[in-house]
Amino acid sequence: MTACAIEPSADPGNGGTPRAGCSITAAGAYAARLARSGQDGDSWYPERWTLDGPEPYAVPLPGNQPEEAGTEVQPMGDGRVLVHRVAAGRHVFALLYPTGPGTGELPLGAVECPADTTGLRLLPPAPGGERAYALAAGPRSTVLWEVAGGAFGPERVVEIPGRCSGGVWLDRTGRMLAVDRETGGRTKAVVVDLERGGEVSPLLQIAADSDDRLLLADPDSGLVLIGSDAPSPGRERLGWGVLGSTLPVRFPECLRMPDCVVTPFAIQPGQVLTPERCAVALRVDGAFGSWVGVWRPAERQVRHLPAPEGWLTGAGLWTPEGELRLPCSTPQSPCGVARLALPDAGGGRTEAANAAKDPGDPADAADTGESASTEESAPDESGDPGATDPSTRASTPARPCPVPLQQAPLARLVTK
């Protein structure tokens, strides 16, 4: 029997970001996860979910032996599942696919990392679904590997000075990859251009002495979610900006949740000219568990929703029409999707499309969210909000880049 959602844990190789319960392709057609098997649920096997049909369904892909709990799995665009195993210090990759009653396996090769490397982890699924990438971080540099999609197995793409984590795709072609690079005790987001041999250029710097990470991006609208301690030194805040905008990065007060870890995991696509109306799904982890937050920059409030039963925590996707789809697994329904239909910015209350809500449900109060709050921004060191620091610009103007805070007039508001 397929088990409920895997309990996620923080990923130390990814800036401490909590792991999601499954991985979903950029197009949203497939998902993959490790599922438990056996009477005691003490063994693991990969499982592929198909999400673009009339009803979601899962296909188990057990190999010749159970998987380790730390094995990584990732869906590819053609329905195969990439599996990343560690054996005798080697990182081994293979593609799994169903073959009648069994599982076919196509070995891709292995990567051997130096002893001082902290590990190798898969990056989020690349647009197009034909290739997959991984980061191997060492104490002074990080190697970007193409582990699937190449002609000769895993291929080394580029070695990036500094210790890199994160991983966010900035376009729909799989060319521009943003990673968070730590050098000199500070973390800044940089862009890796895969069509120029892995050329690296700066992407985000809010202040010279701040840690600025890119958490999520939407290629359609340019909306980006960042984590930075610029407005509150020593404490990371969640902020937002727009790629290529002349407006500053903003840090809404409503996104500050004491004693909780807030992780954005999905942005509504298709809002090409209105990034402030994009809905953003948030995973909120607190002392009493995890739940879902929904926020739009134009609303300046967070709507708090109880997590659906069996939610594969931290996983989900938006439709362009504004429906949030969350994969769920319970003993009664091993493969399901909870659908949350939300109004546009300025609309009415949030409604769960998959279940009627009791008028007396305490969650009603949470749906109203927090009251609108002032958005904060970090001051320019020179005191001139229009000052320009050339070191904060990307090396090529045509590349997508959220304008650093000190390059935009602080008096202008992003939203009404």
Side-chain angles (χ1 to χ4, degrees):
M1 177 181 292
T2 305
C4 297
I6 302 170
E7 284 297 323
S9 59
D11 184 354
N14 196 27
T17 300
R19 293 176 180 172
C22 75
S23 175
I24 305 175
T25 58
Y30 296 102
R33 67 164 186 149
L34 276 186
R36 291 183 185 268
S37 63
Q39 289 186 337
D40 298 327
D42 54 356
S43 60
W44 303 84
Y45 65 90
E47 186 175 72
R48 186 199 70 192
W49 288 29
T50 299
L51 302 176
D52 61 348
E55 294 292 337
Y57 66 91
V59 176
L61 295 171
N64 297 326
Q65 61 185 27
E67 303 288 349
E68 298 290 334
T71 297
E72 288 188 295
V73 294
Q74 185 173 113
M76 304 296 290
D78 59 5
R80 292 183 294 180
V81 172
L82 174 67
V83 59
H84 166 213
R85 306 177 177 114
V86 180
R90 302 170 74 241
H91 298 267
V92 183
F93 297 90
L95 288 172
L96 306 180
Y97 53 93
T99 56
T103 300
E105 180 168 331
L106 175 63
L108 297 178
V111 172
E112 293 192 25
C113 297
D116 59 356
T117 301
T118 57
L120 183 148
R121 62 172 187 83
L122 293 175
L123 290 175
E130 298 177 355
R131 301 177 183 274
Y133 297 87
L135 284 179
R140 291 173 295 277
S141 65
T142 301
V143 177
L144 174 65
W145 289 88
E146 182 182 330
V147 297
F152 306 102
E155 298 179 8
R156 184 185 178 109
V157 177
V158 64
E159 184 170 359
I160 307 169
R163 182 183 178 85
C164 296
S165 59
V168 176
W169 295 99
L170 300 180
D171 61 0
R172 295 204 179 280
T173 65
R175 172 181 176 178
M176 309 299 287
L177 171 68
V179 296
D180 303 319
R181 179 174 66 176
E182 180 186 348
T183 56
R186 293 297 175 188
T187 299
K188 305 290 182 183
V190 298
V191 176
V192 182
D193 189 336
L194 300 182
E195 286 192 6
R196 293 192 178 183
E199 182 178 295
V200 179
S201 58
L203 174 66
L204 178 67
Q205 176 172 296
I206 297 178
D209 59 350
S210 62
D211 291 319
D212 310 312
R213 299 188 301 126
L214 187 67
L215 305 178
L216 203 61
D218 174 58
D220 294 333
S221 63
L223 179 66
V224 294
L225 278 295
I226 69 167
S228 174
D229 63 355
S232 304
R235 300 194 311 275
E236 184 174 277
R237 293 276 301 276
L238 190 61
W240 71 281
V242 179
L243 291 169
S245 172
T246 59
L247 295 174
V249 172
R250 310 301 294 188
F251 297 88
E253 185 67 23
C254 66
L255 296 181
R256 296 183 68 177
M257 301 182 197
D259 303 320
C260 291
V261 177
V262 182
T263 308
F265 65 89
I267 299 178
Q268 181 185 358
Q271 313 300 301
V272 178
L273 300 178
T274 54
E276 72 280 357
R277 298 173 74 93
C278 289
V280 179
L282 309 169
R283 167 182 174 172
V284 187
D285 294 285
F288 299 101
S290 302
W291 63 93
V292 180
V294 175
W295 168 80
R296 285 186 175 91
E299 291 184 343
R300 296 191 186 180
Q301 64 180 8
V302 176
R303 303 171 186 269
H304 296 271
L305 307 172
E309 184 181 2
W311 180 34
L312 303 185
T313 313
L317 57 89
W318 287 100
T319 66
E321 296 73 29
E323 182 179 76
L324 178 60
R325 299 179 178 179
L326 305 175
C328 304
S329 178
T330 66
Q332 295 75 29
S333 179
C335 178
V337 174
R339 302 169 186 264
L340 307 179
L342 292 112
D344 197 354
R349 54 176 293 125
T350 300
E351 296 179 349
N354 62 320
K357 181 182 289 187
D358 187 302
D361 193 327
D364 284 348
D367 279 352
T368 62
E370 301 174 11
S371 60
S373 303
T374 302
E375 294 184 351
E376 299 180 12
S377 55
D380 182 1
E381 293 179 352
S382 66
D384 179 7
T388 299
D389 180 359
S391 67
T392 64
R393 294 179 178 177
S395 58
T396 304
R399 296 186 186 172
C401 178
V403 174
L405 188 63
Q406 61 265 40
Q407 293 188 22
L410 301 182
R412 295 176 63 184
L413 295 179
V414 177
T415 59
K416 295 181 181 180

